[in-house]
Amino acid sequence: MYSIKHSLTKQQATRIFVVAAVIFFILSFFELNLAIKQKRTFLTSLQDQIVNLASKGAGQALWSLDASQGTMHLDAILNINVVQQVDILELNGTTFISRKKQKKVATPFEQRIGQWLFANMLVSRQPLYVSLKKTGGVSREKNIGTISVTMDPVPLTRQFIRDVLIKIIGEALRALLLAIIFSIVLHRFLTRPLASLGNQINISETKSPEENLLTVPTGHENDEIGIIVQQFNQKHRDMEQAIEKLQQSEKSMRESEERYRGVVEDLPALVCSFLQDGTIMFANRAYCNYFGRQPEEMLGVSFLTLIPETEREKVMTPILALTPEAPCMNHEHQVIAADGTVRWQRWVDRALFDDAGKPVIYQAIGEDITDRKLTEERQEKLEKQLQQAHKMEAIGTLAGGIAHDFNNILGAILGFTDMAKDDVPRGSALYNNLEQVLVAGNRAKDLVAQILAFSRQDKHAQQPLQPQPIIKEITKFLRSSIPASISIDLDIDEKCGMIKADPTQLHQVVMNLCTNAYQAMEKDGGTLSIGLNRAELTADDLRDEPSLRPGPYVLLAVGDTGPGIEPASLKYIFDPFYTTKEVGKGTGMGLAVVHGIMKNHGGMIRLQTTTGQGTDFHLYFPELLKISEKDSVTEQLIPTGDEQILFVDDETLLVDLGKQLLERLGYSVTALTDSLEALEVFKAQPDRFDLIITDLAMPNMSGTELAREILALREDIPVILCTGYSSIISKDEAFAMGIDEFVMKPVVKKDIAPLIRKVLNRKRLTQGHSDKSPKT
């Protein structure tokens, strides 16, 4: 029903009041501002008049020091109604004459109005001048003081309030009159025609669409009312046509929905619709077959029952968070397939909302992505292994760099100490002290060897060996050192093959793993198991280790029955300095060193751990099937010689050490700290030297560059390259460029002496000369 109710008494009275109030406030605002401005202007003008009047007589009285005359003059000013106080001040600021009268009592309202209206305006000051005549009739003015007039705000405020009240009453009457006129005009030209139009609308509802044309109120056929009626009639006809089209669309929609349902039923993708609580309202044939149910068995069932309980909240939370602004989402989750296996699905969900923004139904389409997830997991595992390898390589480079500098220092300590020991009587206190220095130096050398093993640089100490004796030796040591509450279960296959390894590093690996194992069981006790057996690894076993080849391996297994490793710590256990032990129980380098040693030996580590049941480390070493000649270890005497040697190192201490050490072996030595200078010395006399010994890492020109320049001048000169760490050049690269030997620092006499003799003898044999007998 279209209706416009009309009440002259109520609506017109309200309208008149509202319009009158608006007009009144607007007019009153402007009148109030105008009255304030006028009152302030009046006060300023009045103050100027009073001050000028007071200064005329008061100036002369001040000049002639006639107090009585000044007082009379000020009393006359004080009689003005709005004046509160008059003061005459001398030039130095002291009061000469002061007259005031009792202040009128004001109400609090008048006080607030006065403070707001006349703030900082009630006191007026003006200098007093007196005219003085000079000789010749020319006069001048002289400043003799100041006159101050203080106004009384009470009469000013009261007068202002009376003026404002009169203006407000006048504006209220004027606003009321304008409101009445506005209401009459509004009723005549708008309200009454609209009321008539509303009545016509109510009547038209009972007529047919052909007859349903409104009658325009008399006198409004061509104005706004007439235009509204014409537009209403046109919209009514349009609405009838729209209803007819809507009915046709609903019919087409029903037909389209039937076709859509048929297409969705045949889709290979999984399609379903469900309510806010997960209840399935529709599921296509592929969805039902995936879960092994008939369509009638699927309807009315919550799809959450098809998802593992641990996944349900993760699935529903983002679905229920969909909004009309963001009605779609993608997600992946696990499901329980028809055969009971847990598989992965990927879904696209869309929520349909009503006009109030409340979800009506959810539609979803999905696919099985189990194969893709398995591929991603394998790829992620490989990427983590690559990241771990890069991390260990970076840390190894850092460790190797530190070892390089430490090797230089250690070489000087060991070399000078060894030479000093040869110069003191055997058995003396100094000799014994030097022996202790060498013992400590060799311990430091072993530490550097561990660092280089961790950085995968030191492979020279590896040799063919049977691991059984080392394992048994460690077991004997452990039996006497671990608590009695921990038993040792030893399983060693005496027939398992040989491996190529550094016995010191192998000892370190087993000790690190056994120490971690018994510390894990130190509180509650348990069993430490150590096993050594032969294992045959296939390509499938090495799928995650592409650098290793299938074949026979020696398996070293170390296990415990402790609490196991927490899942959160598994990905960090091989990181250097990561440890879960309390302070004083370890540095966190144990497993990191084990990892580095295993990679250095061409092996791998497998870890099995279960929370509350224990941990097992499986170490696989490639089995050595054939021992080559270069793997045999022979002991050599310390030989001497008398050849000319050019020794180059940027460390002054090592140059002094090398010169003394080689000269004690009988050689003539030219020792330099600058590689460029060494090149110039060689250029000057290329045939003078029989051997070049140079450091690798040097400023200006590296050892390899120096060797290359020297070999270009004389290709038959033997060269020995020394370094504490090298990521720049490998042994094979050094040999390929003509370098005869590649030596790791620190270099001591028992190592360098036979190497020098070996290189010199090899060159002599190559040149067809007879070798001198080594001197011992």
Side-chain angles (χ1 to χ4, degrees):
M1 294 289 291
Y2 297 90
S3 63
I4 300 179
K5 295 183 178 180
H6 185 66
S7 175
L8 291 177
T9 56
K10 183 176 181 180
Q11 291 189 358
Q12 279 195 329
T14 302
R15 188 184 303 116
I16 291 172
F17 174 77
V18 172
V19 174
V22 172
I23 296 174
F24 168 73
F25 281 115
I26 293 174
L27 295 177
S28 298
F29 174 76
F30 287 105
E31 287 293 343
L32 182 60
N33 283 332
L34 181 62
I36 292 172
K37 188 179 296 184
Q38 290 176 348
K39 180 57 68 178
R40 289 180 175 174
T41 303
F42 167 75
L43 177 60
T44 302
S45 175
L46 180 62
Q47 284 177 326
D48 292 341
Q49 294 177 10
I50 294 174
V51 170
N52 290 334
L53 180 63
S55 62
K56 289 181 180 179
Q60 191 62 36
L62 183 61
W63 177 253
S64 60
L65 303 179
D66 187 350
S68 60
Q69 183 180 358
T71 301
M72 291 176 59
H73 190 75
L74 295 183
D75 286 340
I77 298 300
L78 201 63
N79 287 331
I80 300 174
N81 185 40
V82 294
V83 177
Q84 172 65 29
Q85 181 176 342
V86 182
D87 299 307
I88 297 179
L89 309 175
E90 297 182 5
L91 289 175
N92 58 6
T94 60
T95 302
F96 179 66
I97 300 174
S98 178
R99 300 294 291 170
K100 62 181 178 179
K101 63 183 178 182
Q102 186 175 1
K103 190 175 182 180
K104 294 181 177 63
V105 179
T107 64
F109 174 73
E110 292 175 340
Q111 291 178 355
R112 287 193 296 270
I113 293 298
Q115 292 173 358
W116 167 68
L117 188 62
F118 304 114
N120 303 322
M121 295 183 63
L122 295 176
V123 179
S124 178
R125 290 185 174 85
Q126 180 175 308
L128 288 178
Y129 293 95
V130 63
S131 297
L132 302 178
K133 291 185 178 181
K134 288 186 176 181
T135 306
V138 179
S139 62
R140 65 182 181 87
E141 291 185 342
K142 179 178 179 62
N143 182 11
I144 60 173
T146 304
I147 183 168
S148 173
V149 177
T150 303
M151 310 299 288
D152 189 352
V154 176
L156 294 171
T157 302
R158 290 174 178 172
Q159 181 62 39
F160 173 76
I161 293 173
R162 284 193 297 271
D163 294 343
V164 169
L165 288 176
I166 293 173
K167 289 181 179 294
I168 287 176
I169 293 173
E171 295 302 337
L173 294 175
R174 183 162 48 173
L176 182 61
L177 179 60
L178 290 175
I180 293 173
I181 296 173
F182 175 79
S183 179
I184 293 173
V185 172
L186 184 65
H187 174 71
R188 172 66 179 81
F189 293 99
L190 185 61
T191 305
R192 189 168 62 185
L194 288 178
S196 175
L197 180 61
N199 293 331
Q200 291 292 334
I201 291 174
N202 293 333
I203 296 173
S204 67
E205 291 182 348
T206 61
K207 298 180 180 180
S208 62
E210 293 76 11
E211 300 173 341
N212 191 7
L213 297 178
L214 297 182
T215 302
V216 180
T218 304
H220 296 277
E221 290 80 0
N222 298 319
D223 60 9
E224 289 81 358
I225 301 297
I227 294 173
I228 292 174
V229 172
Q230 295 170 13
Q231 291 177 348
F232 181 86
N233 290 333
Q234 182 62 41
K235 291 296 180 183
H236 188 72
R237 286 189 289 266
D238 294 342
M239 184 172 63
E240 290 294 329
Q241 296 175 1
I243 292 174
E244 183 178 354
K245 290 181 180 180
L246 181 60
Q247 292 173 347
Q248 295 176 355
S249 298
E250 288 179 351
K251 180 180 178 182
S252 301
M253 186 180 297
R254 285 192 296 270
E255 296 174 353
S256 176
E257 183 178 356
E258 292 175 359
R259 290 194 299 269
Y260 164 78
R261 184 176 292 272
V263 171
V264 171
E265 282 289 348
D266 296 333
L267 278 178
L270 311 179
V271 181
C272 70
S273 300
F274 56 91
L275 300 178
Q276 196 169 12
D277 60 354
T279 302
I280 297 175
M281 304 302 295
F282 168 78
N284 72 339
R285 189 177 295 107
Y287 189 95
C288 297
N289 293 338
Y290 188 93
F291 293 102
R293 301 189 184 185
Q294 296 299 321
E296 58 272 13
E297 296 175 339
M298 194 65 73
L299 297 181
V301 176
S302 175
F303 78 90
L304 294 175
T305 59
L306 309 174
I307 298 176
E309 188 173 352
T310 56
E311 294 273 297
R312 294 174 184 175
E313 183 177 357
K314 183 179 70 174
V315 172
M316 284 304 296
T317 299
I319 291 177
L320 297 178
L322 294 176
T323 63
E325 294 77 19
C328 296
M329 64 163 289
N330 300 334
H331 64 97
E332 299 175 356
H333 62 81
Q334 294 178 325
V335 297
I336 303 173
D339 58 359
T341 60
V342 177
R343 302 182 64 84
W344 280 91
Q345 290 181 345
R346 180 180 181 272
W347 286 91
V348 178
D349 293 332
R350 180 181 181 86
L352 303 180
F353 298 88
D354 58 17
D355 295 338
K358 183 178 179 181
V360 177
I361 198 169
Y362 297 87
Q363 298 176 342
I365 182 170
E367 61 177 337
D368 186 281
I369 58 169
T370 305
D371 293 339
R372 193 198 77 187
K373 293 293 289 187
L374 293 176
T375 302
E376 290 177 353
E377 289 176 0
R378 286 194 294 267
Q379 183 178 356
E380 183 180 359
K381 186 175 181 180
L382 291 175
E383 288 176 353
K384 287 182 178 179
Q385 290 178 346
L386 181 61
Q387 291 173 359
Q388 179 72 10
H390 288 168
K391 184 177 2 177
M392 300 302 291
E393 182 179 358
I395 296 174
T397 302
L398 174 62
I402 296 173
H404 170 266
D405 293 338
F406 189 62
N407 266 330
N408 287 338
I409 300 172
L410 189 59
I413 294 174
L414 291 174
F416 282 115
T417 303
D418 195 20
M419 288 191 298
K421 191 183 70 170
D422 293 339
D423 297 335
V424 298
R426 182 180 295 271
S428 64
L430 180 57
Y431 185 91
N432 294 333
N433 290 340
L434 293 175
E435 280 283 355
Q436 294 300 318
V437 174
L438 288 175
V439 171
N442 286 322
R443 290 178 61 189
K445 182 180 178 181
D446 292 339
L447 177 61
V448 175
Q450 291 184 21
I451 295 176
L452 290 176
F454 171 69
S455 63
R456 307 179 189 175
Q457 296 297 323
D458 187 8
K459 299 184 180 180
H460 306 289
Q462 297 179 15
Q463 62 188 38
L465 57 83
Q466 288 284 356
Q468 293 90 334
I470 297 177
I471 306 301
K472 292 178 180 179
E473 178 187 349
I474 295 174
T475 304
K476 292 179 182 179
F477 171 77
L478 289 173
R479 288 190 186 277
S480 60
S481 60
I482 65 176
S485 60
I486 299 175
S487 61
I488 299 178
D489 182 9
L490 190 62
D491 179 18
I492 295 181
D493 182 3
E494 298 293 345
K495 296 181 180 180
C496 71
M498 299 180 67
I499 63 174
K500 186 177 181 181
D502 179 354
T504 302
Q505 291 182 343
L506 180 60
H507 187 280
Q508 183 182 6
V509 165
V510 179
M511 282 300 300
N512 279 340
L513 294 178
C514 290
T515 300
N516 287 341
Y518 86 72
Q519 286 181 350
M521 301 180 291
E522 198 169 14
K523 181 178 179 182
D524 300 323
T527 300
L528 169 61
S529 58
I530 305 174
L532 189 66
N533 296 278
R534 191 176 184 275
E536 190 77 23
L537 297 183
T538 65
D540 290 338
D541 297 327
L542 299 174
R543 183 183 304 171
D544 297 332
E545 297 287 345
S547 61
L548 301 184
R549 295 182 178 181
Y553 283 80
V554 174
L555 169 61
L556 171 62
V558 178
D560 64 72
T561 57
I565 302 175
E566 294 293 334
S569 301
L570 281 176
K571 59 182 177 181
Y572 302 112
I573 60 173
F574 293 113
D575 287 359
F577 308 111
Y578 177 81
T579 180
T580 58
K581 301 173 183 177
E582 60 186 46
V583 177
K585 289 291 186 179
T587 63
M589 283 295 291
L591 291 179
V593 171
V594 170
H595 183 276
I597 292 175
M598 289 304 299
K599 290 297 181 182
N600 191 23
H601 284 68
M604 69 173 181
I605 304 176
R606 291 280 173 87
L607 169 64
Q608 295 179 355
T609 182
T610 304
T611 304
Q613 297 184 15
T615 302
D616 292 298
F617 283 92
H618 292 172
L619 281 65
Y620 293 88
F621 294 88
E623 184 178 357
L624 189 61
L625 301 179
K626 182 179 180 181
I627 303 177
S628 62
E629 295 181 1
K630 66 179 181 179
D631 291 326
S632 62
V633 180
T634 60
E635 183 178 354
Q636 297 180 356
L637 299 176
I638 298 178
T640 60
D642 58 2
E643 286 85 354
Q644 290 280 343
I645 298 177
L646 177 59
F647 186 87
V648 187
D649 197 301
D650 62 319
E651 291 283 344
T652 304
L653 278 176
L654 296 183
V655 169
D656 294 342
L657 172 63
K659 182 175 176 60
Q660 292 186 41
L661 187 150
L662 296 175
E663 287 177 345
R664 289 191 179 210
L665 293 174
Y667 299 103
S668 298
V669 183
T670 301
L672 299 172
T673 58
D674 189 339
S675 54
L676 293 177
E677 182 183 357
L679 180 60
E680 294 300 324
V681 170
F682 185 83
K683 284 181 178 179
Q685 296 178 299
D687 297 328
R688 172 186 171 189
F689 300 101
D690 299 301
L691 175 65
I692 307 296
I693 301 177
T694 177
D695 185 27
L696 173 61
M698 294 186 294
N700 300 325
M701 178 181 287
S702 67
T704 54
E705 293 173 342
L706 176 62
R708 188 178 292 109
E709 293 290 335
I710 289 176
L711 290 172
L713 295 172
R714 181 182 159 192
E715 62 179 6
D716 64 328
I717 186 75
V719 179
I720 297 177
L721 190 65
C722 304
T723 183
Y725 163 76
S726 175
S727 61
I728 303 173
I729 187 171
S730 65
K731 262 190 175 183
D732 295 337
E733 291 173 337
F735 294 153
M737 65 177 293
I739 293 174
D740 293 83
E741 288 293 339
F742 191 88
V743 181
M744 297 298 295
K745 294 181 178 180
V747 179
V748 294
K749 181 171 61 177
K750 67 182 181 66
D751 295 330
I752 193 65
L755 189 64
I756 292 174
R757 196 70 261 158
K758 175 184 175 182
V759 171
L760 290 173
N761 292 343
R762 183 194 305 153
K763 282 294 180 182
R764 289 190 177 188
L765 289 174
T766 302
Q767 295 170 358
H769 297 291
S770 59
D771 184 24
K772 293 183 178 181
S773 300
K775 300 177 182 179
T776 58

